Amino acid sequence: MADRKARPGAHARKATHVAAAQAKILAAALPHVAFDGWTPRLMREAAEAAGVDHNEMRLAFPDGALDLVDYFLADGDRRMAEALAGEDLAAMKVRERITRAVRTRIETDAPHVEAVRRAVTLLALPTSGTRGPRALYRTVDAIWRAAGDTATDFNFYTKRATLAGVYSAVTLYWLADRSEDFADTWAFLDARIEDVMRFEKAKASVLGVVEKLPDPFALLGRLRYRE
């Protein structure tokens, strides 16, 4: 019984130890990603530089460099949420919240543009499987949640699907942007959000018309069974 009671604490300590190893390895790897890429060799050298032994490294990132990339992107989502938690988003309109959240998410990685570029390239390869789409979903979900979204119906999925397209386009634009302080990227983001808002207005208008139309099944029934 004593052993069983000790397990929760042991699990918590193990999780904390793994999280610390992950953070150390990422911090040691980031300065070199631009030159070496997200490779197994980079991860091994970063672990060694961080004082993390091989077994701890494998425990921290069981699937190797792909796990390290995934952790890097998830860490960006976490830092975005922390940054936005200190802002009064509730006072903003929805479009302003989303624009602010997307910009904040991108800005969290501004010191590591090349790391993001190499991460996007790696996750686009067939060998990465579904990691790319899953990481993208996680990011847009984090953005919507940070913006205060509470949808639980079909809108939950349509919002994230729409934002995934916007976020992907803006990120690719940002990676090629050479304007001062990424001014062109933020203008591009504003334009994409405006496109989405116009689409949503058009969709709402169409749905309003459809709701006023007679029930097609009831109409067919009357045509078939005329009195």
Side-chain angles (χ1 to χ4, degrees), residues 121-144:
T121 300
L122 179 61
L123 293 181
L125 296 175
T127 52
S128 297
T130 61
R131 283 179 178 270
R134 283 190 286 126
L136 175 60
Y137 172 81
R138 183 179 59 216
T139 294
V140 297
D141 183 55
I143 289 172
W144 270 113

Side-chain angles (χ1 to χ4, degrees), residues 77-160:
D77 297 339
R78 179 189 61 77
R79 287 182 286 118
M80 172 206 68
E82 287 182 352
L84 292 175
E87 298 190 22
D88 187 15
L89 296 183
M92 303 179 186
K93 296 179 180 179
V94 174
R95 64 183 297 168
E96 294 172 338
R97 295 183 207 171
I98 294 301
T99 301
R100 181 60 185 155
V102 171
R103 177 166 177 167
T104 300
R105 177 61 187 88
I106 290 175
E107 287 179 331
T108 60
D109 287 329
H112 310 295
V113 177
E114 192 58 35
V116 175
R117 189 194 317 281
R118 287 180 175 265
V120 169
T121 300
L122 179 61
L123 293 181
L125 296 175
T127 52
S128 297
T130 61
R131 283 179 178 270
R134 283 190 286 126
L136 175 60
Y137 172 81
R138 183 179 59 216
T139 294
V140 297
D141 183 55
I143 289 172
W144 270 113
R145 290 182 185 280
D149 179 57
T150 57
T152 57
D153 56 6
F154 187 68
N155 280 334
F156 177 93
Y157 301 100
T158 58
K159 286 179 177 179
R160 282 149 182 79

Side-chain angles (χ1 to χ4, degrees), residues 103 107 170 173-174 177-191:
R103 177 166 177 167
E107 287 179 331
V170 174
Y173 193 99
W174 172 68
D177 189 4
R178 296 295 179 268
S179 63
E180 185 175 357
D181 296 326
F182 302 112
D184 289 349
T185 294
W186 311 137
F188 182 77
L189 169 60
D190 289 339

Side-chain angles (χ1 to χ4, degrees), residues 64-85:
L66 281 173
D67 273 353
L68 180 57
V69 170
D70 194 62
Y71 178 77
F72 165 62
L73 297 175
D75 187 61
D77 297 339
R78 179 189 61 77
R79 287 182 286 118
M80 172 206 68
E82 287 182 352
L84 292 175

